[in-house]
């Protein structure tokens, strides 16, 4: 029998953090290089592209990626200092970003394997 985990709606979490910031929807949309309608679409999403989530993390100064990993218990047996993502994402070079994406992909594969067992 497959174990069902509570699905995390990333859009709702982004909205929660956004609401704590002193930023308008228009400002947020401009920083994301999109229109206001797309921002509202993001707030409704259950899933999100990793690149977009990195950009949102940078804009809102909140590490959504690590938060989601912790909630899914991907970091259960790992020191958070070892894979904690840097909030200053704009300073990450291409090689580092590729390495981070590889780690995230490996965590996704492990999670899928655990769910299907």
């Amino acid at each position: 029998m497959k174990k069902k985990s509570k699905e995390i709606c990333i859009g709702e979490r982004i909205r929660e953090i956004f609401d704590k910031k002193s930023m308008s929807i228009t400002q947020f949309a401009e920083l994301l290089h999109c229109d206001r309608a797309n921002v509202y679409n993001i707030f409704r999403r259950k899933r999100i592209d990793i690149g977009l989530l990195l950009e949102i993390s940078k804009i809102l100064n909140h590490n959504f990626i690590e938060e989601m990993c912790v909630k899914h218990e991907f970091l259960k047996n790992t020191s958070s200092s070892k894979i904690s993502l840097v909030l200053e994402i704009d300073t990450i070079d291409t090689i580092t970003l590729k390495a981070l994406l590889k780690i995230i992909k490996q965590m996704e594969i492990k999670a899928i394997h655990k769910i299907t067992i």
Side-chain angles (χ1 to χ4, degrees):
M1 179 179 256
K2 289 184 182 180
K3 182 180 176 183
K4 282 193 173 185
S5 62
K6 183 179 176 188
E7 189 168 339
I8 299 168
C9 182
I10 186 64
E12 288 175 7
R13 184 64 182 138
I14 291 169
R15 180 63 190 244
E16 288 173 11
I17 299 301
F18 170 80
D19 287 342
K20 294 178 183 178
K21 306 293 179 177
S22 57
M23 183 184 305
S24 70
I25 294 287
T26 302
Q27 290 170 321
F28 190 45
E30 287 174 3
L31 291 169
L32 281 174
H33 307 289
C34 67
D35 58 33
R36 290 170 44 97
N38 195 36
V39 170
Y40 289 110
N41 175 280
I42 289 169
F43 292 157
R44 290 189 301 273
R45 291 183 188 180
K46 291 184 179 183
R47 300 178 193 273
I48 193 165
D49 174 78
I50 190 70
L52 179 57
L53 190 58
L54 284 170
E55 187 64 25
I56 291 169
S57 293
K58 176 182 164 188
I59 292 167
L60 296 180
N61 194 33
H62 184 85
N63 194 335
F64 291 101
I65 295 171
E66 183 176 18
E67 179 180 326
M68 293 299 109
C69 289
V70 170
K71 284 188 179 182
H72 280 290
E73 296 185 350
F74 292 153
L75 305 181
K76 190 174 185 180
N77 298 319
T78 307
S79 166
S80 61
S81 63
K82 287 184 180 177
I83 70 165
S84 180
L85 298 174
V86 180
L87 286 175
E88 298 170 17
I89 295 167
D90 58 336
T91 64
I92 296 176
D93 59 90
T94 305
I95 294 169
T96 305
L97 184 56
K98 285 180 181 179
L100 289 172
L101 292 173
K102 185 177 178 180
I103 291 168
I104 291 167
K105 186 65 176 177
Q106 289 171 346
M107 291 184 331
E108 289 173 349
I109 291 168
K110 286 179 183 177
I112 290 168
H113 180 71
K114 283 182 181 179
I115 292 170
T116 57
I117 292 180

